[in-house]
Amino acid sequence: MSDSLVAPTAAPARHLVSPSDLDLPLVESLLALASDMERQGQSPAQAPLRGRIMASVFYEPSTRTRFSFEAAMLRLGGQVISVESAATGSSAAKGESLEDAVRIIGGYADLIVLRHPEIGAAERAARVSPVPLVNAGDGAGHHPTQALLDLYTIKKECGRLDHLRIVMSGDLKFGRTARSLALLLARYPGNQLTLVSPDELRLGEDVRHQLHRTGVSIRDERDLSAAAAGADVLYQTRIQRERFASVTEYDQVRSVSRVDAALMRRLPEHAIVMHPLPRLDEIDESVDSDPRAAYFRQARNGLFVRMAVLYWLAMGT
Ligand code: ASP
């Protein structure tokens, strides 16, 4: 890594649990650091995290988040220990509490990346963790590193993070990525959020309340096609089957708001389509070849952003 790579100077939060751990200067320096990581290539020569160990502890399935965190750590010269089905493949299966598991793992690793199905689990874990802990998704709570990589993608694709018209669609109630992203977008001036979801999947009052306090413009809209016509960014999300009590409840809302060829005709030429992935049928595969489909580029950006986050947390302690 070149000498020009400077760790963010803003006061570090020891843990990254929710968007409230990220003030604007810190967001900006992490995005700049991610961009440095991308420019320097995937394997910075100086391997700045050589000798450090990251534990990835996932109680819920993951492809992008776990692999990109692990790849990020390896590319920074660090090492990884991991459990990918912690609910059954760790002592959680014997009844060990999350807190005890984190206390123990924190004795072996220098950083912990945790995914858990319960809202608030990362906060509970961070309270007892002896080492920096990153929330890689806590149920329908938050997913701050996804929100950072979403910002990184928007900045790269649209050239700015302010004065944008962002349409968020799909499952805004359980969709932790949309919840976290809305809060980070509200830090920038002039952004307008249009929320498209069925009543059952409306963005929660907890996030709305925080958004109102920032003064960001929010509008609820039923018709995705109408909303898309005025969008700079269309952020589509998956209806999360695993969060519904029954298949019947899921089936009632699953097919709302599809992004397909007709919808793409309504979307401005300069706009982009994002999705945290995995996608089911809420984006038709025919959209993939449209240059405005940014979701695979977005997933790749996760590597650079997670390299930046790991570097910041490891160097800040
Ligand atoms: N991968 C994202 C998450 O973990 C979105 C999703 O699962 O639909 O929240």
Side-chain angles (χ1 to χ4, degrees):
M1 186 157 302
S2 83
D3 293 343
S4 64
L5 194 61
V6 175
T9 49
R14 188 167 155 78
H15 306 294
L16 179 48
V17 169
S18 80
S20 51
D21 295 320
L22 296 164
D23 61 15
L24 195 54
L26 181 52
V27 170
E28 288 288 305
S29 41
L30 286 170
L31 297 183
L33 186 55
S35 170
D36 275 356
M37 295 290 182
E38 182 170 5
R39 252 198 315 276
Q40 291 187 29
Q42 293 188 24
S43 301
Q46 288 177 25
L49 298 196
R50 186 177 321 168
R52 312 273 183 126
I53 295 177
M54 178 191 94
S56 62
V57 184
F58 279 61
Y59 291 78
E60 261 195 348
S62 170
T63 300
R64 277 149 294 276
T65 305
R66 191 166 71 86
F67 279 118
S68 61
F69 261 116
E70 295 187 358
M73 188 63 183
L74 295 172
R75 292 195 181 279
L76 290 167
Q79 288 170 294
V80 174
I81 52 178
S82 89
V83 54
E84 67 161 304
S85 308
T88 51
S90 76
S91 283
K94 301 179 189 168
E96 186 172 49
S97 71
L98 173 65
E99 284 84 347
D100 278 0
V102 163
R103 283 187 188 102
I104 302 301
I105 296 165
Y108 305 146
D110 304 295
L111 290 158
I112 297 175
V113 177
L114 174 74
R115 171 167 289 187
H116 198 279
E118 285 165 28
I119 297 175
E123 197 178 327
R124 271 168 43 216
R127 250 182 254 135
V128 298
S129 177
V131 296
L133 183 139
V134 184
N135 178 10
D138 59 332
H142 281 289
H143 196 346
T145 62
Q146 175 75 44
L148 281 172
L149 80 88
D150 292 342
L151 284 190
Y152 185 78
T153 302
I154 295 171
K155 190 166 183 185
K156 205 164 142 188
E157 302 266 338
C158 303
R160 66 185 194 281
L161 286 167
D162 55 292
H163 299 92
L164 288 165
R165 296 162 301 170
I166 301 112
V167 175
M168 294 184 152
S169 160
D171 183 348
L172 306 182
K173 178 178 178 187
F174 299 116
R176 56 195 172 201
T177 71
R179 289 165 50 80
S180 292
L181 178 60
L183 290 172
L184 289 191
L185 282 168
R187 308 265 167 86
Y188 291 86
N191 286 333
Q192 295 174 28
L193 301 181
T194 303
L195 308 176
V196 185
S197 64
D199 285 345
E200 298 87 331
L201 299 177
R202 260 170 67 89
L203 183 68
E205 288 308 320
D206 57 338
V207 172
R208 282 176 190 267
H209 179 70
Q210 292 184 60
L211 291 174
H212 284 308
R213 285 206 326 234
T214 68
V216 72
S217 145
I218 317 174
R219 191 165 61 87
D220 287 282
E221 166 69 72
R222 291 213 148 263
D223 178 5
L224 181 58
S225 175
D232 301 308
V233 175
L234 170 53
Y235 191 90
Q236 176 69 313
T237 61
R238 176 176 70 96
I239 309 288
Q240 306 199 2
R241 189 176 41 212
E242 66 272 30
R243 313 270 181 231
F244 286 83
S246 72
V247 178
T248 325
E249 280 176 43
Y250 167 68
D251 280 342
Q252 276 160 7
V253 289
R254 60 174 295 187
S255 300
V256 291
S257 305
R258 274 190 100 222
V259 178
D260 55 13
L263 197 282
M264 293 303 282
R265 283 195 288 277
R266 300 276 289 165
L267 191 72
E269 275 311 305
H270 72 273
I272 55 166
V273 181
M274 297 175 67
H275 191 306
L277 304 179
R279 132 298 280 274
L280 301 181
D281 51 7
E282 65 278 357
I283 298 183
D284 192 89
E285 284 185 17
S286 66
V287 175
D288 297 358
S289 55
D290 189 305
R292 293 169 293 175
Y295 31 92
F296 295 124
R297 300 192 290 274
Q298 176 187 356
R300 171 143 173 81
N301 289 335
L303 176 65
F304 311 117
V305 168
R306 289 179 173 127
M307 286 171 81
V309 166
L310 292 176
Y311 183 76
W312 159 61
L313 282 173
M315 293 308 183
T317 56

